[in-house]
């Protein structure tokens, strides 16, 4: 099938969802949608990024996101290099900026960066010449995760506007939550956050979401439920007294799920902690859980993002060509 | 000659002259030279510019000793002179920490050798700023420390603070505290507000300041010690100080220019040059600081000049050090209170001259015959754009880059000697 060759995305980097327009988001989702089918074919290789170099620079460990970006780049024909902190010069005391400058000197076309500090990817993007995709920075944003979540919902429901989505759990430490809040509210979805107050940022309501401490109340009428992982590695001290207490009040089980719409989707960005935020039975419920589908959408969304940033829109390509002709002759 | 004499200590605001003899002010007033200025003396024609006591900045961090690549006493004094600041009080937060008599004497000696302006050392409250063992407060005072403070740290333990206040009171030593309850602020990097929520950064709630100020006020009541909050940033804490003053307690506080000129939005997209301690607060808090200055609850303006180099600032926000430089923007940003907030010029200058001088018992801060001739001549309306590259401070981490400001020191005089001259 023929994928659209370009989308209206005139940005150098993809650092955050906040600030993207509904048109830009729809453009990326449409392009991603076209790649879903392609990814199900036996022959998956495309050539739109042939000759381009993509470096995945991960300062924080990751399995699914890194693999997903690697596959996305390779399927579009790019040369993909993976760099992780383990075994790199970061361990020898090199600063993030120096690492970025070093890689920059090798002329990559796109850097896909994950970092454990909020804002670090943005800082890095200011120091390099290539496009930069934020693959998750601290507790700030994880744009491609929000896009793949939106694609999953849109394909299941046929639309986004007018739906109600609940985001449950450790919102405080979650970059997935922030990106999703910005994306879903931009697309006209009613967003609710459900968590104990200790796991919610103090001014989360200013982002335009409804705040619920009671999961059953919060889930009423929801079309989709996004469960978040309890991020114990980002916590200073105790935010909840115990896992069993957390699961009792904020873990997704059959009883609490009954408050949502009967066909509400169960989502999780992974990695899951079974029995902490989600009951194993529900995570594996093929009728309700779209967790594996989210992973599938991830590759398509990342292909779309890479293409949107690296392949100039036709009118821009034509302009460059005209300029070249003027400067250097036909 | 030809100056607009501004002396907050006496309320003087008149056209006149000032005569310096040696290192001292000899005479001041409208009729210093009733028969004309004798041709035998050197003169500066102020052309109607303001002539005020040199500014006194009671909270300045330098990198000496230990981080001379960020700032030395010499470069800090250059920056001070250029900013119209004639006296700086330096913080003990160095490496090693100034917590010993010999180190206080070292600072005093280095300042005599290298500094263009007056430098007074403070000493640590606790050894190594660790918040535990008390320093030799009496001996440190004899050595020349004008106050004790743990710099950017707060004394967390109520017990240690109680004993410090109690013991310091017998030496009439001023205790200065950066009032942030550290366990509540733990892991925080900016104000706990909407900006922190959006950026995904852990915040420092305003309550961390209020709780510390209120606790310390209770301990002041218990001990009678003189206590000073070095940088107040929240409406609630200002209110607590206001009530303490109304009860007659020996409590004072200062505000940094960035707390009345900026709010948390200055952090924008992780601008580490807007990372301060205490953090930039909300617009409501900023307005409360302005109001606190206007009605007098906030006694003093201090720059909290804190030089940081690129290696400490060109980092993800959470990893970057807090602090901004302020000596060369102290005057113009403070003058915004006069230009924009309707505060009388003398009231603004009071908080930069006689108020800090009185608090620390310094012989400075007034245009009075017999006092050292520490002076600044400036045009409060001279417009300029902040450009850190042109600053004399070794570090360039200003929070006011590209800001259009008014008022700049044309001449700075320390003990009768011109230490800075730009114009006139």
């Amino acid at each position: 099938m023929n994928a659209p060759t370009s989308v209206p995305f005139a940005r150098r980097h993809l650092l955050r969802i906040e600030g993207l327009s509904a048109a830009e988001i729809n453009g990326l989702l449409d392009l991603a949608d076209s790649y879903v089918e392609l990814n199900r074919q036996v022959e998956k290789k495309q050539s739109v990024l042939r000759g381009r170099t993509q470096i995945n620079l991960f300062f924080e460990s990751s399995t699914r996101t890194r693999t997903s970006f690697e596959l996305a780049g390779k399927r579009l024909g790019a040369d993909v290099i993976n760099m992780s902190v383990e075994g790199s010069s970061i361990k020898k005391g090199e600063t993030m900026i120096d690492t970025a400058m070093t890689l920059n000197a090798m002329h990559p076309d796109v850097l896909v960066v994950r970092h454990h500090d909020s804002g670090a990817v943005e800082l890095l993007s200011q120091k390099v010449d290539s496009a930069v995709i934020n693959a998750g920075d601290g507790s700030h944003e994880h744009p491609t995760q929000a896009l793949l979540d939106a694609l999953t919902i849109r394909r299941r429901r046929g639309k986004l506007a007018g739906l109600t989505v609940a985001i449950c759990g450790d919102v405080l430490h979650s970059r997935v939550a922030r990106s999703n809040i910005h994306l879903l509210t931009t697309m006209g979805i009613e967003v609710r956050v459900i968590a104990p107050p200790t796991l919610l940022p103090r001014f989360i309501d200013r982002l335009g979401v409804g705040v619920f401490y009671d999961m059953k109340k919060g889930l009423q009428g929801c079309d989709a439920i996004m469960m978040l992982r309890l991020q114990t590695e980002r916590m200073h001290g105790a935010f909840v007294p115990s896992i069993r207490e957390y699961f009792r009040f904020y873990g997704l089980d059959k009883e609490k799920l009954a408050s949502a719409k009967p066909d509400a989707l169960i989502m999780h960005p992974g990695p899951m902690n079974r029995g902490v935020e989600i009951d194993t039975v529900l995570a594996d419920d093929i009728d309700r859980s779209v967790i594996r589908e989210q992973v599938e959408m991830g590759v398509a969304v990342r292909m779309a993002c890479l293409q949107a940033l690296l392949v100039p829109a036709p009118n821009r390509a034509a302009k460059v060509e005209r300029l070249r002709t003027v400067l250097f002759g036909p | 000659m030809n100056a607009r004499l501004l002396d907050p200590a006496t309320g003087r605001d008149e056209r006149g002259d000032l005569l310096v003899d040696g290192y001292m002010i000899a005479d001041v007033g409208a009729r210093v030279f009733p028969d004309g200025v004798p041709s035998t003396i050197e003169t500066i024609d102020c052309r109607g510019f303001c002539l005020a006591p040199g500014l006194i900045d009671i909270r300045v961090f330098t990198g000496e000793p230990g981080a001379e690549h960020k700032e030395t006493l010499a470069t800090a004094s250059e920056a001070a002179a250029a900013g119209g600041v004639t006296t700086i009080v330096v913080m003990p937060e160095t490496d090693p920490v100034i917590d010993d008599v010999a180190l206080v004497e070292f600072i005093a000696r280095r300042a005599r050798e290298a500094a263009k302006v007056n430098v007074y050392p403070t000493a640590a409250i606790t050894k190594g700023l660790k918040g535990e063992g008390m320093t030799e407060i009496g001996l440190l005072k004899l050595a020349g420390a004008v106050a004790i403070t743990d710099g950017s740290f707060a004394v967390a333990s109520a017990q240690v603070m109680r004993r410090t206040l109690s013991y310091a009171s017998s030496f009439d030593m001023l205790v200065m505290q950066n009032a942030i309850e550290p366990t509540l602020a733990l892991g925080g990097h900016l104000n706990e507000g909407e900006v922190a929520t959006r950026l995904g950064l852990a915040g420092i709630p305003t309550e961390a300041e209020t709780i510390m100020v209120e606790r310390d006020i209770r301990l002041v009541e218990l001990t009678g010690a003189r206590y000073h909050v070095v940088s107040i940033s929240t409406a609630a804490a200002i209110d607590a100080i206001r009530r303490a003053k109304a009860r007659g307690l020996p409590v004072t506080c200062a505000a940094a220019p960035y707390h009345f000129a900026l709010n948390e939005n200055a952090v924008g997209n992780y601008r580490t040059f807007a990372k301060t301690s205490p953090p930039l607060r909300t617009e409501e808090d900023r307005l409360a600081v302005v109001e606190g200055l206007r009605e007098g609850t906030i006694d003093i303006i201090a720059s909290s000049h804190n030089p940081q180099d690129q290696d400490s600032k060109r980092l993800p926000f959470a990893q970057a050090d807090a602090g901004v430089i302020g000596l060369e923007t102290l005057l113009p940003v403070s003058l915004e209170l006069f230009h924009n907030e309707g505060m009388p010029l003398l009231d603004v200058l009071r908080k930069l001259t006689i108020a800090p001088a009185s608090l620390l018992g310094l012989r400075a801060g007034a245009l009075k015959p017999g006092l050292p001739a520490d002076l600044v001549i400036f045009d409060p309306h001279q417009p300029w754009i902040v450009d850190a590259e042109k600053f004399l401070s070794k570090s360039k981490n200003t929070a006011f880059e590209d800001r259009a400001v008014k008022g700049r020191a044309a001449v700075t005089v320390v003990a009768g000697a011109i230490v800075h001259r730009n114009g006139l």
Side-chain angles (χ1 to χ4, degrees):
Chain A
M1 65 175 282
N2 289 323
T5 51
S6 70
V7 290
F9 197 81
R11 290 174 191 266
R12 203 174 134 210
H13 308 298
L14 178 61
L15 300 174
R16 51 175 77 196
I17 294 292
E18 187 177 13
L20 292 190
S21 67
E24 285 173 305
I25 291 165
N26 268 325
L28 290 172
L29 294 182
D30 291 344
L31 182 55
D33 215 351
S34 72
Y35 280 126
V36 174
E37 275 312 308
L38 175 82
N39 282 332
R40 289 176 181 166
Q41 309 298 314
V42 177
E43 178 55 51
K44 304 177 181 69
K45 195 81 167 177
Q46 298 282 296
S47 58
V48 288
L49 294 189
R50 192 166 60 198
R52 307 299 181 93
T53 306
Q54 170 190 341
I55 300 181
N56 297 335
L57 179 56
F58 279 62
F59 294 90
E60 191 181 71
S61 63
S62 156
T63 312
R64 84 193 58 220
T65 305
R66 208 214 59 207
T67 310
S68 182
F69 268 111
E70 183 175 355
L71 275 177
K74 284 182 170 165
R75 284 188 186 161
L76 291 177
D79 297 312
V80 185
I81 309 279
N82 288 314
M83 272 202 56
S84 60
V85 169
E86 300 302 320
S88 78
S89 297
I90 298 280
K91 286 272 171 192
K92 300 178 194 162
E94 188 176 65
T95 68
M96 177 193 78
I97 299 287
D98 287 336
T99 305
M101 306 275 248
T102 304
L103 294 177
N104 189 51
M106 300 178 194
H107 302 296
D109 297 284
V110 59
L111 290 172
V112 176
V113 186
R114 168 169 289 190
H115 198 282
H116 43 80
D117 276 318
S118 302
V121 179
E122 175 140 354
L123 175 66
L124 187 146
S125 75
Q126 294 159 6
K127 311 287 176 190
V128 299
D129 303 313
S130 65
V132 173
I133 295 179
N134 180 2
D137 63 325
S139 305
H140 178 222
E141 284 226 31
H142 190 356
T144 56
Q145 177 71 43
L147 287 163
L148 74 88
D149 288 339
L151 183 61
T152 308
I153 299 172
R154 198 177 80 167
R155 283 171 62 92
R156 283 291 186 126
R157 287 286 175 272
K159 62 169 186 176
L160 290 174
L163 300 180
T164 302
V165 173
I167 301 174
C168 311
D170 188 358
V171 175
L172 183 66
H173 299 99
S174 176
R175 50 194 175 215
V176 175
R178 279 174 186 75
S179 284
N180 263 314
I181 287 169
H182 294 308
L183 191 151
L184 298 174
T185 52
T186 302
M187 302 312 284
I189 285 180
E190 182 193 333
V191 181
R192 302 172 182 173
V193 292
I194 308 171
T198 49
L199 290 177
L200 288 172
R202 185 156 154 195
F203 295 96
I204 192 71
D205 57 311
R206 304 255 180 105
L207 302 191
V209 299
V211 178
F212 292 83
Y213 305 131
D214 180 323
M215 198 158 176
K216 281 188 194 167
K217 280 186 191 153
L219 289 182
Q220 268 167 26
C222 280
D223 296 280
I225 306 159
M226 297 180 170
M227 299 307 300
L228 298 173
R229 186 170 62 88
L230 204 56
Q231 299 192 43
T232 45
E233 77 276 14
R234 285 188 215 283
M235 293 183 181
H236 294 273
F239 287 73
V240 290
S242 72
I243 297 296
R244 75 174 181 184
E245 174 148 329
Y246 183 74
F247 185 75
R248 169 71 181 74
F249 293 100
Y250 296 99
L252 187 65
D253 56 19
K254 271 215 150 59
E255 191 201 338
K256 297 191 197 90
L257 180 64
S259 308
K261 280 190 181 166
D263 59 348
L265 306 174
I266 299 170
M267 307 175 76
H268 196 300
M272 270 186 289
N273 293 317
R274 289 167 185 266
V276 178
E277 67 260 354
I278 189 162
D279 191 327
T280 287
V281 179
L282 294 181
D284 297 335
D285 182 343
I286 51 165
D287 295 328
R288 308 291 293 277
S289 166
V290 292
I291 295 169
R292 270 176 287 270
E293 203 169 311
Q294 287 173 272
V295 178
E296 183 189 359
M297 294 308 125
V299 179
V301 155
R302 283 159 187 138
M303 289 168 81
C305 293
L306 286 166
Q307 181 176 336
L309 289 175
L310 293 184
V311 181
N315 58 348
R316 194 173 136 216
K319 269 185 207 158
V320 171
E321 197 49 46
R322 264 204 309 282
L323 191 65
R324 197 197 303 276
T325 315
V326 169
L327 288 175
F328 306 110
Chain B
M1 51 182 279
N2 270 333
R4 178 181 172 189
L5 301 167
L6 289 169
D7 185 10
T10 58
R12 183 199 298 272
D13 180 359
E14 63 177 350
R15 193 82 176 206
D17 312 308
L18 183 139
L19 178 65
V20 175
D21 183 9
Y23 64 89
M24 280 192 319
I25 298 172
D27 200 1
V28 59
R31 279 176 296 277
V32 174
F33 303 109
D35 308 320
V37 183
S39 58
T40 49
I41 63 171
E42 188 193 338
T43 60
I44 297 174
D45 183 352
C46 296
R47 301 204 304 251
F49 282 17
C50 298
L51 191 162
L55 310 187
I56 300 170
D57 189 345
I58 65 165
R59 194 168 190 244
V60 173
F61 295 82
T62 80
E64 187 166 351
E68 285 82 357
H69 60 289
K70 292 182 178 176
E71 192 91 286
T72 62
L73 288 167
T75 59
S77 80
E78 298 263 354
V85 178
T86 53
T87 297
I88 60 175
V89 175
V90 295
M91 295 294 107
E93 199 171 331
T94 49
D95 183 16
V97 171
I98 309 304
D99 58 3
D100 188 271
V101 171
L103 291 160
V104 170
E105 285 167 351
F106 167 81
I107 294 287
R109 180 170 59 77
R110 284 294 298 146
R112 276 196 305 278
E113 288 167 7
K116 285 177 142 183
V117 303
N118 308 305
V119 176
Y120 291 97
T122 56
I125 295 173
T126 60
K127 293 199 182 84
L129 308 177
K130 290 193 165 65
E132 292 157 11
M134 216 189 295
T135 53
E136 298 164 316
I137 295 172
L139 293 175
L140 290 165
K141 177 151 188 165
L142 289 180
V146 294
I148 50 172
T149 175
D150 271 359
S152 64
F153 295 93
V155 177
S157 157
Q159 181 67 274
V160 172
M161 193 59 172
R162 179 195 171 172
R163 287 196 186 130
T164 299
L165 288 166
S166 183
Y167 189 76
S169 68
S170 64
F171 293 99
D172 195 31
M173 184 67 124
L174 179 72
V175 179
M176 308 204 300
Q177 169 96 304
N178 188 27
I180 302 175
E181 211 297 308
T183 60
L184 195 52
L186 186 71
H189 301 286
L190 74 172
N191 183 47
E192 183 179 278
E194 185 177 336
V195 176
T197 298
R198 285 181 186 278
L199 296 182
L201 290 166
I204 301 170
T206 53
E207 288 74 11
E209 180 169 305
T210 321
I211 287 169
M212 200 49 132
V213 168
E214 288 184 339
R215 180 201 80 175
D216 286 348
I217 286 170
R218 295 292 163 197
L219 296 175
V220 168
E221 205 159 13
L222 185 69
T223 58
R226 291 197 299 134
Y227 170 81
H228 175 75
V229 178
V230 294
S231 181
I232 204 153
S233 70
T234 68
I238 294 167
D239 199 43
I241 296 281
R242 185 180 295 125
R243 282 182 276 115
K245 284 185 166 186
R247 298 214 307 278
L249 296 174
V251 169
T252 53
C253 66
Y258 46 77
H259 280 136
F260 57 78
L262 299 173
N263 63 29
E264 60 179 354
N265 293 327
V267 173
N269 282 339
Y270 305 98
R271 274 187 68 221
T272 58
F273 281 15
K275 183 172 181 178
T276 62
S277 170
L280 299 178
R281 299 291 189 182
T282 64
E283 179 62 9
E284 290 74 38
D285 289 313
R286 186 192 74 83
L287 291 171
V289 172
V290 171
E291 187 50 33
L293 286 160
R294 196 202 311 274
E295 44 110 57
T297 301
I298 302 174
D299 311 88
I300 290 167
I301 299 171
S303 76
S304 290
H305 178 84
N306 191 345
Q308 299 291 349
D309 63 353
Q310 284 217 344
D311 291 343
S312 327
K313 282 290 192 185
R314 207 177 61 171
L315 291 169
F317 200 85
Q319 289 179 31
D321 285 333
V324 300
I325 54 169
L327 282 166
E328 287 162 269
T329 48
L330 179 62
L331 177 63
V333 179
S334 297
L335 286 175
E336 290 183 6
L337 294 167
F338 161 66
H339 292 302
N340 307 337
E341 311 288 353
M343 250 176 89
L345 194 49
L346 276 179
D347 285 0
V348 176
L349 291 174
R350 180 190 317 280
K351 296 175 196 298
L352 293 160
T353 55
I354 189 65
S358 315
L359 181 69
L360 297 178
L362 309 178
R363 290 190 69 241
L367 300 181
K368 189 175 150 200
L371 281 186
D374 295 342
L375 309 167
V376 58
I377 302 169
F378 64 97
D379 171 5
H381 299 287
Q382 183 191 348
W384 58 289
I385 308 271
V386 175
D387 177 2
E389 280 310 310
K390 298 204 175 98
F391 281 172
L392 299 179
S393 180
K394 221 173 198 180
S395 293
K396 308 298 178 190
N397 53 311
T398 177
F400 296 110
E401 186 72 359
D402 294 333
R403 192 180 182 94
V405 292
K406 284 193 274 187
R408 193 168 204 177
V411 178
T412 308
V413 176
V414 174
I418 294 172
V419 293
H420 164 78
R421 189 162 188 171
N422 179 18
L424 290 182

